[in-house]
Amino acid sequence: MTHGVYRVDIHNTANFDAQLQELGLLAQTAGYTISGALVCKRPAPDAKFFVGSGKAQEIKDLMQETGANEVLFDQALSPVQQRNLERFLECPVNDRTMLILQIFSQRARSHEGKLQVQLAQLQYAATRLVRRWSHLERQSGGIGLRGGPGETQMELDKRMITQSIVRTKERLKKIERQQNVQRRQRGKTQATTVALVGYTNAGKSTLFNALVKAQSYAADQLFATLDTTTRQWFIPETGEKIMLSDTVGFIRELPHGLIAAFKATLQEAVHADVLLHVVDRANPDFMEQMEQVQQVLHEIGAADIDQIVVFNKCDVLKKSEIPPSCVGTWAVEGKMLPSVYVSAMHNQGMAELRILVDAGYQGVVTQFGKYQKSVGEGLHWRLPWPVQRNEQVDLRLQKLDVGTDAIVPATGLPDSAMLTKDENIVEIKLAVQWQVKDPRSYLYNVSEPVPTVVKAAETAVREVVGNMTMEDVIQGERDQIPGRVRDIMQNLLDSYQIGINVQGVNLQQSGVRPPDQVQAAFDDVLKAGQEKSRSTNEAQAYANNVVPLAKGTASRLLQEADGYAARVVAQAQGDAARFDSIYEEYKKAPKVTRDRMYTDTMKDVYTKVTKVLVDSKQGSNLLYLPLDKLLQQNLDSAKAAQTQNSAGSTNGSGANNGSAAESKPATGASESVTVTIPADSRTHQRQFGVVQEFGEIKRVITEPGLKAKVPFIQDNSYLDKRLLLLTSGNQGADSEPTLTAEKQRVVIDWYVRWNITNPQDYIRNLGTTTEAGAEQLRRVVRNSFQQQVNKLTLQQILSSQREQLMTDVKKQVSSTIADSSKPWGLQVQDVRISRVDYSKAVIGSVFDRMTAERKRAANELRSTGQADGESIRADADKQREVTLSQAYEQAQTTKGKADAQATQIYAKAFGKDPQFAQFYRNLEAYKASFQSKDDVLVLDPDSSEFLRIMKGSGAGK
C-alpha cells in the first residue's frame, strides 16, 4: 500500500524537515510505503480542507502522478476536515493520531496493552462519526410514519461505541487495581523503584536489558515496546536491589486520549522513586525530544520525581561531542539534573549510571549499637562487624499516595473515601512528598517511620475534610486542602521527633470527586447549574433585545411625532398662505373665479376616472357603461365561477392525503539487630537492655554500648525504646461498629504512639515483647473510644469535637494505666483518629440520602433558574411597556399641540370667508379623492353642477 505524506506548518516550526521525516518513519513502522511528500505553510488551518482548496488540488494531482492510494497528515484533522478531504481526494485520509494508534495496535502484546489500545481507538472513532452512513438512515420511524426521521446508523454506531468504551474502561480499572495491589506488595520490600522514560527509539529497552541482564524485545524502530516490564536490578557496588521498569516511549504530539488510555502503564513512572530519562544523544533534535518527554511527564503528574538524564548511543558520537567526564549535570526546566553518557549497546557507562542511581544516601555508623557518626556519599572505612556496623538512610525525595482504590472491607468503599462535616462521603487522592532531614532521629526516635508518615497523612487529610462541607471540598475550598494537610502532617511528625520534612502535598488527577454511586446525581447538579445559567443568560439576552428595541421604538415614536408636528404646522401654514393668495384674487372677481376653479377641478377629476351616467328621468336605474367595461365585467364573472368549481374539486380529493503505591523507607531503616557475645552484651541505640539471672531482673541497660554479663547464668533481652506505633486494626470485614450519641453506627480507625518508660515493670506485668504490651493497650484504647464516642454526635466527631475526643481518650487511657494494680511501665504519647467511616450496613442509605439531596439541589437550581429567567423577562417587558407608553404619551401630546396650532392657522385663514373656504376645500377634496382610472364616478344629469355649467348655468346658482 502506497501513501502520500503531508505536513502543514502552522507556526513556522524550526525543525520542520525533521518532523516530516518522523512522520515518514511512523508510516514505515506501520508497514506503509511512502510514495511522496508535500509540505505547506499556513498562518492557520483551513476550516474545510485544513490545507486550503488549492493545496488540496495539488495533493490530488500528486496522488495521480505517484499512484498513491491513501493520504497521511502529520497534524490532527477534525472529523469534518477528514470527511471533506476524503470526498474531494476520493481516497482514505488519516492523520498522525490514527497512525500512532495503528502502530500501537500492531505492537501490543499483553492483555492490558491490547485493552488500552482498544480504548484509545474507540475514543478516536467516536469523534469520526460525521454522517458517513446517511444512506443507511431510516427516514421514517414510529407507528403511522409520523414523528420525523428514525434512528440513524450514525446514532446506532455511537451508542455501540459508547457501550464498548464503558466496558473497556471497567476492565482496565480492574487491571489497575490489581497492579496497585502488586505495587503495594513490592513497596513492602522497601526496595527503590526506578522507571525508564524517554522518547521513542531512544534505546530504553536496550538499556533495560543491559542493566538487568534480560532479553526483552528491543529494535531500532519507533514504539518497539508498549508493555511495561519490571525486573530486579542488583547494584553490586552497594548490594542494593532496585526494581527497574521499562515503560512505553513518548513522541511529539502524543494524543491525549492515548495518554489517558495508557494511564495504568504510565503509573509505573508516576510511582517511581527515580526516573531515568533516556535520551538519544545521536539525534540532532534530542533537545526538542527532551522537551516533549517533560510535557508528557507533567501531564501524567510525574514531573516532580527525581530524574537522571541518561545520554544514550554515545558510541556513535564524535569525540568532541562527549565531555571529558561521562558524569555531569544537565539543565532541565531550570533545574540541574545529574547526567551520564552511556552506550547501552556496548555496555559503556553502566558503572557510572549505577553509582548515580545509588546516590542520595547517608550512612549511620554504630559501635556496639551506640551511635558514632553519620557519613555522606563515597568510600568510608569502619571497623568490621560486630564492633561497628552501618545503616543507610535514603535522603532523596520520597512519595506516598494517600487514598487508593483498594476496598476497605469494613465499609465496602475505596480507601480514598472519607466523611465531610455535613456527613457526606467524598473520595480524595493526595500525593505527599517527604524527605529525611535528620537520619539519626529517623532511625532511633520512632519505630516504623514510613507507616508513621502514612498514618500522619491519613489523619491529616481526614481531619481537614472533616472540618469542611461537601461543597467546600469539591469546589469552594478545594485548593486549600493540600496546604492544610501539609501543616497538620508536619506538626504531627515534629511532635514525634521523627526527623522528616513534608516537602509538598498535591491533589492527584481527579483527586477530589464524589463516589461512583452518587456521581450521576452530582453530575446532574452541575448540569442543573449550567441550565440555570443558560436560563438566566437566555432571559438576559431577551431583555437585552427587548429593552433596547423598546427604547428604539420609543425614540422613533417621538421623532415621528416631532416630524408630524413640523409637517402639520408647515402644511397648515402653506395651505393658509395659498388660500390667502387665492382669496385676494377671488374678492376681485368672485363669480368668474369660482366657476373657473370648479371647472378646472372637474376637468382634472373627469380625465382620471371612469364616468357613469344614470338615467333617472324614465325611472330606470340602468347603468350606462362603456362597451369595453361591460365585456370585461362578463369575462371576470366567468373566470370567478370556473375558479370556484376547481377549488371544490381539489378539496374533495385532498382528504385522502395524509489509579497506589506506598513509599518505601531506606533499606535497614526499621531493622533491629541483636548480637550476643559470650561474657558480653551489646545494647543498640534504639533499645533497652534487660539482664536477667535465673528469671530475675538484675539490671536495666539504658545507654547503648558494650556491657558485661555472667555467661550461662545471666541472660539479656531487649525492648524497643523508640516511639512505637499501635493501630486499631478496624478496617477488616469483622470490625465492630461504634454507636454515636444519635445511635449512628460508625467505624473508627485510630492509632496510638506509645513508648516503654520502665522496662522492669513492663517485663514483669506485660511480657518481654512489644506485641504483648500493644495488645493490652489496644483493648484499653478501644474501650475508651467506645465510651467517648457514645457521648458525641457524628458531626462533633468529624469536626468540632474531634481534637477534644482524642485528648479525652488519651487521658482516660493514661488514667486506666496509672490506676492499674500493677504498673505497666509504658506511656501513651499521642492518640489520633485516622479515619471515621459509616458502617457497611448503612452505606446504601447514606448514598440514597446524598442522591436525594443532590436531586433537591438540582431541582432547586433549575427552578431558581426558571424563576430568575421569568423575573428578568417580566422586568424587561415592564420596561418595554413603560418606555413605549411614555413615548406614546409624549408623541400624542406633541401631535395634539401641532394639530391645535394647525387648526388655529386654518381658522384664521378660512375665517375670512367661510363659504368660499368651504367651496375651496371641497374642490381640494375632489382632487384628492379621484386619482385613478379604477375610480368610478356616478353622475346625475339633472343635479350635476358641472353639467349645468356646461349648459351655460352659473356655478353659483
Side-chain angles (χ1 to χ4, degrees):
M1 183 178 293
T2 58
H3 287 68
V5 179
Y6 305 97
R7 174 168 174 81
V8 181
D9 190 7
I10 303 298
H11 302 294
N12 293 324
T13 307
N15 52 352
F16 185 75
D17 296 334
Q19 295 182 0
L20 183 61
Q21 183 181 4
E22 183 180 86
L23 177 63
L25 291 175
L26 283 171
Q28 293 175 0
T29 302
Y32 299 139
T33 301
I34 305 303
S35 63
L38 189 66
V39 299
C40 172
K41 293 190 176 184
R42 289 181 59 88
D46 180 72
K48 183 177 181 181
F49 291 131
F50 188 79
V51 293
S53 57
K55 185 62 66 172
Q57 183 62 47
E58 186 177 346
I59 294 174
K60 190 172 185 179
D61 296 339
L62 184 61
M63 287 182 59
Q64 295 175 354
E65 294 177 6
T66 59
N69 51 18
E70 188 169 341
V71 177
L72 298 177
F73 277 78
D74 192 28
Q75 283 92 348
L77 299 175
S78 70
V80 175
Q81 290 169 340
Q82 183 179 7
R83 180 197 61 188
N84 293 338
L85 283 168
E86 287 182 343
R87 290 179 177 177
F88 180 78
L89 300 176
E90 299 178 346
C91 73
V93 176
N94 288 298
D95 58 8
R96 180 185 181 88
T97 301
M98 186 286 307
L99 188 59
I100 294 176
L101 289 175
Q102 189 168 353
I103 295 173
F104 273 44
S105 65
Q106 295 173 358
R107 299 295 168 82
R109 294 291 181 267
S110 67
H111 177 60
E112 176 192 3
K114 292 178 181 178
L115 284 177
Q116 291 169 333
V117 174
Q118 179 183 350
L119 175 61
Q121 289 177 328
L122 288 171
Q123 291 173 335
Y124 178 80
T127 64
R128 305 287 128 174
L129 301 177
V130 190
R131 300 194 63 81
R132 296 190 179 204
W133 311 102
S134 58
H135 60 286
L136 299 177
E137 188 177 65
R138 294 184 295 165
Q139 293 299 324
S140 298
I143 300 175
L145 303 179
R146 302 184 64 182
E151 189 172 37
T152 64
Q153 182 65 37
M154 184 176 70
E155 292 168 341
L156 289 171
D157 291 345
K158 183 177 293 186
R159 188 171 72 250
M160 292 174 61
I161 288 177
T162 301
Q163 294 172 350
S164 298
I165 289 175
V166 172
R167 289 194 299 267
T168 306
K169 283 184 176 180
E170 290 175 351
R171 296 167 70 182
L172 281 173
K173 194 171 183 180
K174 181 178 179 181
I175 293 176
E176 183 179 359
R177 287 196 297 267
Q178 294 173 350
Q179 291 179 342
N180 288 336
V181 173
Q182 297 171 359
R183 195 176 293 114
R184 286 195 296 273
Q185 291 298 327
R186 291 199 301 267
K188 292 180 180 179
T189 65
Q190 300 181 359
T192 302
T193 58
V194 178
L196 296 173
V197 298
Y199 210 78
T200 181
N201 202 29
K204 296 185 301 300
S205 297
T206 304
L207 179 62
F208 179 82
N209 290 335
L211 293 175
V212 301
K213 311 303 179 184
Q215 299 295 325
S216 297
Y217 179 74
D220 185 15
Q221 57 185 205
L222 303 181
F223 300 113
T225 304
L226 286 187
D227 301 316
T228 298
T229 304
T230 302
R231 295 288 186 273
Q232 190 178 81
W233 178 21
F234 179 72
I235 307 294
E237 288 81 2
T238 61
E240 185 180 4
K241 295 178 180 179
I242 292 175
M243 302 306 298
L244 182 65
S245 298
D246 183 18
T247 63
V248 63
F250 303 154
I251 197 170
R252 175 180 54 84
E253 298 175 9
L254 189 63
H256 295 284
L258 202 58
I259 294 176
F262 275 73
K263 176 184 176 183
T265 298
L266 296 174
Q267 286 299 304
E268 293 297 336
V270 175
H271 294 284
D273 296 318
V274 179
L275 299 179
L276 297 185
H277 183 169
V278 184
V279 180
D280 181 2
R281 184 60 180 82
N283 192 310
D285 300 315
F286 74 94
M287 294 187 66
E288 188 204 355
Q289 292 181 351
M290 292 180 67
E291 293 177 359
Q292 296 295 331
V293 172
Q294 290 300 129
Q295 290 180 9
V296 178
L297 291 177
H298 278 286
E299 189 166 349
I300 65 176
D304 294 331
I305 300 176
D306 291 339
Q307 293 185 39
I308 297 176
V309 181
V310 181
F311 290 112
N312 193 22
K313 305 183 182 180
C314 68
D315 54 305
V316 298
L317 295 177
K318 298 178 181 179
K319 290 185 178 180
S320 59
E321 295 177 325
I322 303 177
S325 174
C326 65
V327 178
T329 58
W330 190 268
V332 177
E333 296 183 339
K335 296 184 294 184
M336 299 305 296
L337 302 180
S339 64
V340 59
Y341 280 73
V342 303
S343 172
M345 182 68 69
H346 296 87
N347 206 30
Q348 298 176 6
M350 297 296 107
E352 289 80 1
L353 176 58
R354 289 193 296 266
I355 292 174
L356 280 180
V357 171
D358 204 33
Y361 290 88
Q362 187 172 101
V364 178
V365 180
T366 58
Q367 181 170 323
F368 296 116
K370 183 177 181 180
Y371 172 81
Q372 290 293 307
K373 60 182 177 179
S374 297
V375 295
E377 301 170 3
L379 186 62
H380 301 276
W381 294 97
R382 65 170 174 82
L383 296 175
W385 184 88
V387 178
Q388 287 186 338
R389 65 166 297 178
N390 67 286
E391 296 181 77
Q392 287 186 347
V393 178
D394 193 346
L395 301 182
R396 296 172 300 180
L397 191 67
Q398 307 289 331
K399 179 180 177 182
L400 67 88
D401 294 330
V402 180
T404 66
D405 294 328
I407 302 300
V408 178
T411 63
L413 297 176
D415 175 67
S416 57
M418 54 195 72
L419 293 181
T420 62
K421 182 179 180 179
D422 48 359
E423 303 179 17
N424 289 313
I425 301 175
V426 66
E427 293 183 12
I428 296 183
K429 296 180 180 180
L430 293 173
V432 178
Q433 292 85 31
W434 59 276
Q435 196 169 24
V436 177
K437 65 177 180 179
D438 185 354
R440 184 175 179 180
S441 299
Y442 180 82
L443 288 176
Y444 304 136
N445 288 351
V446 176
S447 68
E448 303 179 81
V450 174
T452 298
V453 176
V454 174
K455 283 296 183 181
E458 292 178 347
T459 299
V461 66
R462 285 172 172 80
E463 181 175 336
V464 170
V465 173
N467 283 299
M468 301 170 64
T469 64
M470 186 80 169
E471 296 298 330
D472 290 338
V473 171
I474 294 181
Q475 296 179 352
E477 301 179 12
R478 169 193 173 120
D479 296 336
Q480 300 179 25
I481 294 176
R484 296 174 182 175
V485 171
R486 182 191 178 281
D487 293 341
I488 295 177
M489 271 193 68
Q490 191 64 66
N491 290 335
L492 279 176
L493 296 176
D494 289 345
S495 68
Y496 302 150
Q497 298 180 358
I498 195 173
I500 287 177
N501 265 345
V502 181
Q503 301 292 353
V505 178
N506 300 301
L507 288 170
Q508 297 185 12
Q509 291 182 347
S510 65
V512 179
R513 58 185 298 273
D516 292 338
Q517 293 85 341
V518 295
Q519 183 65 59
F522 277 80
D523 291 341
D524 189 48
V525 173
L526 295 178
K527 182 180 178 182
Q530 297 297 325
E531 292 177 3
K532 176 185 177 182
S533 299
R534 186 191 64 192
S535 298
T536 55
N537 290 337
E538 289 177 351
Q540 193 61 53
Y542 172 81
N544 292 341
N545 178 58
V546 167
V547 174
L549 185 61
K551 292 180 179 179
T553 303
S555 177
R556 180 173 56 81
L557 288 175
L558 295 177
Q559 292 177 3
E560 287 179 351
D562 292 339
Y564 172 84
R567 178 178 59 80
V568 168
V569 173
Q571 184 176 349
Q573 292 174 344
D575 291 344
R578 180 184 178 192
F579 177 79
D580 288 341
S581 300
I582 295 174
Y583 182 67
E584 292 299 325
E585 297 301 323
Y586 171 78
K587 290 192 296 183
K588 296 177 182 179
K591 183 177 182 303
V592 174
T593 302
R594 184 182 181 92
D595 289 345
R596 178 185 62 78
M597 291 175 63
Y598 185 80
T599 303
D600 291 343
T601 299
M602 291 299 103
K603 176 183 177 183
D604 184 62
V605 170
Y606 290 159
T607 57
K608 295 179 180 179
V609 302
T610 301
K611 280 68 71 179
V612 179
L613 299 179
V614 180
D615 185 5
S616 60
K617 283 187 176 181
Q618 304 298 328
S620 173
N621 292 327
L622 178 64
L623 298 177
Y624 292 89
L625 299 175
L627 180 61
D628 59 335
K629 292 292 182 181
L630 291 173
L631 294 175
Q632 184 66 33
Q633 187 181 54
N634 294 333
L635 182 62
D636 292 343
S637 299
K639 287 183 178 181
Q642 183 178 0
T643 302
Q644 184 176 4
N645 293 334
S646 176
S649 174
T650 301
N651 291 335
S653 62
N656 295 327
N657 292 337
S659 40
E662 297 177 358
S663 296
K664 294 139 306 278
T667 303
S670 60
E671 182 183 3
S672 177
V673 179
T674 299
V675 178
T676 302
I677 305 174
D680 297 291
S681 65
R682 185 174 65 104
T683 303
H684 199 276
Q685 183 79 23
R686 59 172 68 98
Q687 295 172 331
F688 289 116
V690 181
V691 179
Q692 294 177 313
E693 184 176 321
F694 301 113
E696 180 183 357
I697 298 177
K698 289 298 184 180
R699 71 180 186 273
V700 175
I701 302 172
T702 59
E703 294 299 325
L706 187 64
K707 311 294 180 182
K709 71 178 180 66
V710 179
F712 307 111
I713 296 178
Q714 292 182 336
D715 295 324
N716 58 290
S717 58
Y718 302 96
L719 291 174
D720 199 328
K721 67 178 180 180
R722 296 174 297 176
L723 207 58
L724 303 175
L725 175 65
L726 171 65
T727 61
S728 63
N730 282 346
Q731 297 189 23
D734 56 348
S735 299
E736 182 179 352
T738 303
L739 292 178
T740 63
E742 73 267 49
K743 307 304 179 183
Q744 186 77 266
R745 297 169 63 86
V746 296
V747 177
I748 297 182
D749 189 24
W750 46 263
Y751 74 91
V752 175
R753 301 303 312 199
W754 63 286
N755 64 304
I756 299 174
T757 57
N758 189 322
Q760 291 177 319
D761 291 340
Y762 183 90
I763 292 176
R764 289 192 184 101
N765 300 318
L766 296 180
T768 58
T769 64
T770 56
E771 290 77 9
E775 190 58 36
Q776 295 289 341
L777 184 60
R778 180 179 287 110
R779 284 196 290 265
V780 174
V781 175
R782 183 179 292 132
N783 292 334
S784 297
F785 262 109
Q786 290 178 348
Q787 294 176 22
Q788 297 297 330
V789 168
N790 290 338
K791 304 174 184 178
L792 302 174
T793 65
L794 178 57
Q795 190 175 39
Q796 289 175 328
I797 296 172
L798 292 172
S799 56
S800 62
Q801 298 296 318
R802 185 189 188 101
E803 192 68 32
Q804 186 62 45
L805 170 61
M806 294 184 290
T807 301
D808 292 342
V809 170
K810 178 184 175 182
K811 289 181 179 179
Q812 184 174 346
V813 171
S814 299
S815 177
T816 301
I817 294 174
D819 296 340
S820 176
S821 59
K822 296 181 180 180
W824 287 23
L826 61 83
Q827 181 179 8
V828 175
Q829 299 290 349
D830 190 26
V831 175
R832 288 284 150 187
I833 297 175
S834 55
R835 60 187 302 144
V836 179
D837 295 310
Y838 287 110
S839 66
K840 193 172 184 177
V842 300
I843 291 295
S845 60
V846 174
F847 286 148
D848 291 340
R849 172 182 59 78
M850 293 177 63
T851 301
E853 290 176 351
R854 294 301 97 189
K855 185 176 181 180
R856 175 186 57 78
N859 292 337
E860 183 178 351
L861 285 172
R862 289 189 174 96
S863 60
T864 302
Q866 294 175 358
D868 292 344
E870 291 300 321
S871 177
I872 294 173
R873 285 186 172 89
D875 183 67
D877 291 339
K878 176 184 176 182
Q879 293 185 50
R880 179 188 60 187
E881 295 300 325
V882 170
T883 301
L884 292 178
S885 60
Q886 292 177 349
Y888 179 80
E889 179 184 2
Q890 296 179 19
Q892 292 300 104
T893 301
T894 302
K895 289 180 179 180
K897 292 180 179 179
D899 290 339
Q901 187 176 356
T903 301
Q904 183 180 5
I905 295 172
Y906 282 125
K908 182 178 179 181
F910 296 158
K912 298 175 182 179
D913 189 338
Q915 185 177 4
F916 177 72
Q918 182 64 38
F919 170 74
Y920 173 77
R921 297 290 291 172
N922 289 340
L923 294 181
E924 293 298 319
Y926 269 115
K927 290 180 181 181
S929 300
F930 301 97
Q931 297 288 334
S932 173
K933 285 289 186 180
D934 294 333
D935 297 333
V936 177
L937 181 63
V938 180
L939 302 177
D940 187 346
D942 294 334
S943 61
S944 173
E945 186 175 3
F946 174 75
L947 296 180
R948 288 200 303 270
I949 295 175
M950 294 296 293
K951 293 177 182 179
S953 302
K957 292 182 180 179

